[in-house]
Amino acid sequence: MLQTSIWEFTPLLLRGALITIEVTLAATVAAVLCAFLSGFLRLSKSRILRLIGTVYVEVFRGTSLLVQLFWLYFALPILLDIHISAMSAAIAAIGLNYGAYGSEVVRSSIVSVPKGQYEAATALNMSSWLRIRRVVLPQALPLMLPSFGNLQIELLKGTSLVYLITLTDLTYQGMILRSYDSSKTPEIFAMLLFLYFILAYSFTWVIRFLERRTAKGRA
Amino acid sequence: MWDWSYAFQILPELANVLPITIAATVVGFAAACVLGLPLSLARKSNYKAVSYLALGWIEFIRSTPLLVQLFFLFYALPLYGISFSPFAAGVLGLGLHYSTYMSEVFRSGIDAVPAGQWEAAKALNFGKRRTWTNIILPQAVPPIIPVMGNYFITMFKETPLLSAITLVELLQTAKAIGSGSFRYLEAFTLVGLLFFLLSYPSSLLVGRLEKRFQRK
Amino acid sequence: MDDEVHGGRTPDGVHQEPVVKYRKVSKSYGSTVVLNEIDLDIYPGEKVAVIGPSGSGKTTLARMLMTLEEPTAGTIEVDGELLWHQEVKGKLVPANEKHLHNVRSKIGMVFQHFHLFPHMTILRNVTEAPIHVQGMSRAEATERALEMLEKVGLSDKVDEYPSRLSGGQKQRVAIARAVVMRPRVMLFDEATSALDPELVGEVLSVIKDLAAAGDMAMMLITHEMDFAGEIADRVIFTDAGSIVEQGTPEQIFERPQSPRLQAFLSRFRQTWFMGGVQEASISAEKR
């Protein structure tokens, strides 16, 4: 009897998993963009630019993701008199939130590239743009990957919150199934946890793959 | 648009719920520490089976959403006869989830104590318990206090999740206020502000603590 | 009087315009004065060795020419053009990045700790700047790079990564990387100080070949007194931020005039052998 129940759940849960993956990927792209943008802002020579970067990071790190989600979905539309879809609010909130955490990873990795590399590039008369692009970043990126991997998992877990703004993700579908048959609640939640775990491991595997690929040439 | 008088009107109602949010954080944090220490010891156990089981548990809990874990505790367990109040389920969920992070923090703290300390304790014939309480833990804990502080702040920011299992804390109250008057802007903004005003100075404090310990 | 500033003779004995001119160059960090109103000329193709105790300011002298540090006062001219300043409407203003970039193209530097790019192969380390800074085609840059790497004796390592090379090999690559840019002046900042003793020779040999090849001026900050004596046209002794004495290697090493120079040299030499003065150098600061 348990067998048939699990098979019944699966299609609906997979549909939810698809939405979860969609949100995760889109939010990851947004987060990476925010992380690099704000990371560079905080490394800028201009005090104003540094301040803007710091304000962004501290505000989004200092408030709760769920509150940010609710604010973007319920409060911002009122403020700007516009309509924001649940998907947009989700991607924006999650992207901005984890981008703020990623910003520190970007900043500290770039700072840890030895000063001698900057000087050697200058001695070869490289412009600062060339220097960043071909000498500093290629050395900073592998340093960022482990922390980015951790943030990726946190981001995936964060997407479960979009259920609370009625986005039909994995958690949402789980709750729907529950409403059909509440006696199956433990099994449904166990499956949810299991599916999230598989997703998390897949992402971890991708990051490990990237780590190995960028490690070429290093001792 | 933004209404200042309305904002000030609802502020007391929000502030009144703050103690619950803080209480949930404190109890949840305590639970995480209490559950985390045995977990870290299990990870360090010489019995491979125990160590791997602990690792599996930690990986599983850390890789799956706290929200779903809370749902499990609050909605699934009653089917087995175990019923929790929203607050109890909330702090238990927080505690279980973050105990996995705490266990890693404790492990690194314990590993940082030089091997010589263990040997000296043995040479002086300290029993296992005394070694831990008098020699190892007093050296392991102070350096990890800043990290623990950061997790405390993180858990504070996670308490709004407890609104999903009907705990009446800050976010839930804001939702109630908002849906009653259809004015979500002030309510949610104030909640965000309250979180920021509490967590940002705390993170600065933790940063200062970290520098103090680095200097030692 | 003129000779003090412009040093000894120029390589071909004819009076030429200096390729580098330091005029009243000073550098301080807060209240610490590292260089004090330095006047110095370097001629095209001239090999100048700079010796002196640590903290005497000799490295700063080179770094300011390479635009890695900005002078607190004074001007530096390269090939007749001001390096750190520009003339705008008849007035001297601090140079912008574009100007620095233009003048910097005439200077090259080899560092004590090599600073090879670890994420690039040896070949790429040497071709990177010619392609992306000088706009050379990949084919031409590769050809030049291979030529240079052969000159420094590393043709068999072109596809390796720096982590697989010894210190001496890394420094030879660093030299190739800098020389392939064809600067007018090459700076060597204690190029062998970070090398194990048995690896020093291979690098000195490369530098010697470079010096003999001819038209590039060289500033060698070094503790290798014998080497300095061999290839330098002029030796400069700095101490406490000033040029205390300068002259030909013979003048500096065998007839030091100032007490400070004499004291400095005595740390590096051993004297008295069988009634005569026998000098042997011991490098006191080998790592």
Side-chain angles (χ1 to χ4, degrees):
Chain A
M1 209 190 78
L2 196 66
Q3 284 282 72
T4 50
S5 303
I6 292 181
W7 290 129
E8 273 168 40
F9 300 160
T10 311
L12 207 60
L13 286 180
L14 285 182
R15 217 185 297 162
L18 225 64
I19 299 285
T20 291
I21 294 175
E22 197 182 322
V23 175
T24 304
L25 288 176
T28 301
V29 170
V32 170
L33 283 172
C34 291
F36 274 95
L37 204 68
S38 59
F40 279 116
L41 277 178
R42 287 170 73 208
L43 289 167
S44 155
K45 292 200 190 101
S46 149
R47 209 194 289 177
I48 302 169
L49 290 179
R50 277 204 310 269
L51 190 66
I52 295 176
T54 305
V55 166
Y56 157 69
V57 169
E58 294 302 334
V59 166
F60 276 92
R61 283 203 310 190
T63 50
S64 166
L65 173 59
L66 190 53
V67 174
Q68 290 159 13
L69 197 56
F70 271 67
W71 197 86
L72 282 178
Y73 188 56
F74 291 112
L76 189 63
I78 297 176
L79 191 63
L80 299 179
D81 202 15
I82 55 173
H83 171 75
I84 298 180
S85 73
M87 181 62 92
S88 313
I91 295 174
I94 298 177
L96 285 167
N97 185 295
Y98 289 99
Y101 287 97
S103 164
E104 180 54 29
V105 176
V106 170
R107 197 197 62 85
S108 66
S109 300
I110 289 181
V111 162
S112 66
V113 173
K115 190 160 165 253
Q117 293 291 305
Y118 287 85
E119 297 196 341
T122 303
L124 293 167
N125 209 11
M126 290 188 184
S127 67
S128 43
W129 171 237
L130 199 63
R131 200 169 56 193
I132 294 271
R133 207 161 54 89
R134 300 195 71 94
V135 176
V136 178
L137 265 186
Q139 295 184 58
L141 279 171
L143 299 172
M144 300 182 200
L145 281 177
S147 301
F148 273 175
N150 288 329
L151 285 176
Q152 174 74 83
I153 305 296
E154 298 294 318
L155 194 152
L156 170 66
K157 295 195 299 178
T159 62
S160 65
L161 300 183
V162 305
Y163 151 70
L164 298 168
I165 58 169
T166 68
L167 207 51
T168 58
D169 77 324
L170 186 52
T171 305
Y172 180 96
Q173 299 294 13
M175 297 304 270
I176 292 284
L177 284 173
R178 223 191 119 231
S179 67
Y180 293 161
D181 185 0
S182 64
S183 72
K184 291 275 175 289
T185 300
E187 288 90 335
I188 294 169
F189 284 139
M191 275 216 75
L192 278 187
L193 290 172
F194 181 65
L195 284 170
Y196 271 112
F197 186 68
I198 295 192
L199 284 173
Y201 237 69
S202 315
F203 280 113
T204 305
W205 195 89
V206 172
I207 300 278
R208 295 263 167 82
F209 174 73
L210 285 173
E211 276 180 41
R212 267 175 302 164
R213 271 204 68 198
T214 57
K216 66 172 185 283
R218 266 156 245 287
Chain B
M1 273 314 303
W2 183 269
D3 183 347
W4 281 104
S5 61
Y6 178 69
F8 279 116
Q9 197 184 315
I10 60 172
L11 191 57
E13 203 177 330
L14 288 172
N16 269 337
V17 193
L18 207 51
I20 297 190
T21 293
I22 296 180
T25 311
V26 171
V27 180
F29 182 74
C33 292
V34 166
L35 294 168
L37 191 54
L39 200 54
S40 70
L41 295 176
R43 274 287 283 138
K44 289 176 68 63
S45 161
N46 288 320
Y47 297 108
K48 274 237 171 108
V50 176
S51 176
Y52 277 120
L53 247 149
L55 180 63
W57 171 258
I58 291 173
E59 284 299 305
F60 186 71
I61 296 295
R62 275 215 298 208
S63 309
T64 52
L66 173 59
L67 185 65
V68 180
Q69 291 164 8
L70 285 171
F71 282 158
F72 193 90
L73 288 171
F74 191 64
Y75 292 118
L77 286 186
L79 269 73
Y80 296 125
I82 312 172
S83 242
F84 291 113
S85 74
F87 187 85
V91 297
L92 188 61
L94 277 173
L96 274 170
H97 191 87
Y98 281 96
S99 69
T100 58
Y101 292 91
M102 281 307 183
S103 75
E104 292 303 293
V105 174
F106 289 146
R107 211 157 64 92
S108 73
I110 294 170
D111 284 344
V113 177
Q117 296 294 303
W118 294 90
E119 296 175 356
K122 195 170 255 189
L124 292 165
N125 214 11
F126 275 83
K128 204 133 200 239
R129 170 168 290 197
R130 283 291 157 138
T131 306
W132 277 102
T133 55
N134 290 43
I135 299 183
I136 301 301
L137 283 179
Q139 295 186 58
V141 171
I144 60 173
I145 286 184
V147 185
M148 288 172 71
N150 275 323
Y151 277 117
F152 184 84
I153 298 172
T154 303
M155 290 171 76
F156 173 64
K157 290 183 286 175
E158 288 270 54
T159 56
L161 265 75
L162 273 49
S163 67
I165 56 170
T166 75
L167 181 66
V168 181
E169 44 70 67
L170 267 177
L171 187 62
Q172 185 67 355
T173 309
K175 277 200 279 185
I177 295 175
S179 64
S181 61
F182 288 101
R183 302 202 64 119
Y184 288 108
L185 180 59
E186 290 84 354
F188 286 139
T189 308
L190 283 176
V191 168
L193 217 63
L194 280 169
F195 271 104
F196 185 72
L197 289 175
L198 282 173
S199 71
Y200 182 59
S202 310
S203 68
L204 289 177
L205 209 80
V206 171
R208 261 227 244 123
L209 268 176
E210 206 169 341
K211 287 204 185 102
R212 261 180 89 206
F213 278 113
Q214 266 174 18
R215 231 177 285 143
K216 282 191 174 184
Chain C
M1 165 212 65
D2 227 9
D3 264 349
E4 258 172 56
V5 172
H6 299 299
R9 47 200 108 84
T10 58
D12 56 3
V14 176
H15 183 73
Q16 292 177 306
E17 267 303 295
V19 65
V20 175
K21 284 193 220 173
Y22 290 79
R23 289 289 177 268
K24 292 209 169 337
V25 173
S26 304
K27 177 71 183 174
S28 21
Y29 297 101
S31 52
T32 319
V33 176
V34 176
L35 283 174
N36 195 5
E37 301 211 333
I38 300 286
D39 286 316
L40 174 63
D41 286 349
I42 300 177
Y43 290 88
E46 191 185 8
K47 325 289 184 242
V48 177
V50 183
I51 64 172
S54 321
S56 57
K58 48 191 201 296
T59 294
T60 312
L61 209 60
R63 287 170 66 85
M64 286 194 299
L65 184 56
M66 192 66 254
T67 73
L68 295 172
E69 316 251 7
E70 192 172 350
T72 320
T75 63
I76 302 178
E77 245 181 73
V78 177
D79 237 358
E81 243 187 305
L82 286 169
L83 174 61
W84 284 100
H85 302 87
Q86 288 173 270
E87 240 190 79
V88 174
K89 293 188 204 158
K91 290 212 301 192
L92 248 79
V93 297
N96 57 28
E97 179 56 36
K98 191 156 174 269
H99 179 89
L100 277 170
H101 179 85
N102 285 337
V103 188
R104 199 191 285 136
S105 61
K106 309 206 172 146
I107 315 284
M109 184 158 172
V110 171
F111 298 87
Q112 184 177 349
H113 295 288
F114 341 123
H115 298 323
L116 293 182
F117 303 134
H119 56 296
M120 300 184 194
T121 60
I122 300 305
L123 183 62
R124 247 194 90 196
N125 258 274
V126 182
T127 60
E128 189 72 3
I131 294 175
H132 295 279
V133 177
Q134 294 178 333
M136 223 184 272
S137 74
R138 186 169 287 276
E140 195 190 340
T142 308
E143 197 188 315
R144 278 227 238 156
L146 289 172
E147 211 183 292
M148 201 55 62
L149 285 167
E150 196 188 324
K151 280 208 194 125
V152 304
L154 287 169
S155 304
D156 57 334
K157 297 263 190 254
V158 295
D159 288 321
E160 297 269 15
Y161 282 92
S163 58
R164 311 267 301 220
L165 269 56
S166 74
Q169 291 169 328
K170 281 194 252 204
Q171 193 62 297
R172 286 188 272 152
V173 175
I175 294 173
R177 180 176 69 170
V179 173
V180 84
M181 298 289 278
R182 306 238 175 113
R184 293 270 278 150
V185 187
M186 263 292 268
L187 309 171
F188 293 86
D189 186 7
E190 303 209 30
T192 57
S193 300
L195 296 175
D196 290 332
E198 66 267 17
L199 300 173
V200 170
E202 68 195 55
V203 174
L204 292 182
S205 155
V206 165
I207 301 179
K208 205 184 294 191
D209 290 341
L210 224 52
D215 57 347
M216 196 171 59
M218 287 160 65
M219 185 197 286
L220 298 118
I221 299 167
T222 183
H223 297 297
E224 302 284 341
M225 305 298 175
D226 277 351
F227 180 68
E230 261 182 76
I231 74 163
D233 300 310
R234 181 167 36 133
V235 179
I236 293 175
F237 172 65
T238 60
D239 191 12
S242 304
I243 295 178
V244 173
E245 200 175 324
Q246 56 182 305
T248 64
E250 190 199 39
Q251 288 169 337
I252 291 290
F253 292 123
E254 289 175 34
R255 293 190 299 273
Q257 302 289 311
S258 65
R260 280 195 275 173
L261 176 55
Q262 290 164 355
F264 177 72
L265 289 174
S266 72
R267 288 201 342 243
F268 283 81
R269 278 141 169 233
Q270 191 169 271
T271 58
W272 314 117
F273 176 74
M274 281 246 189
V277 173
Q278 190 86 21
E279 292 168 307
S281 31
I282 304 167
S283 183
E285 282 176 39
K286 273 286 183 0
R287 258 156 265 277

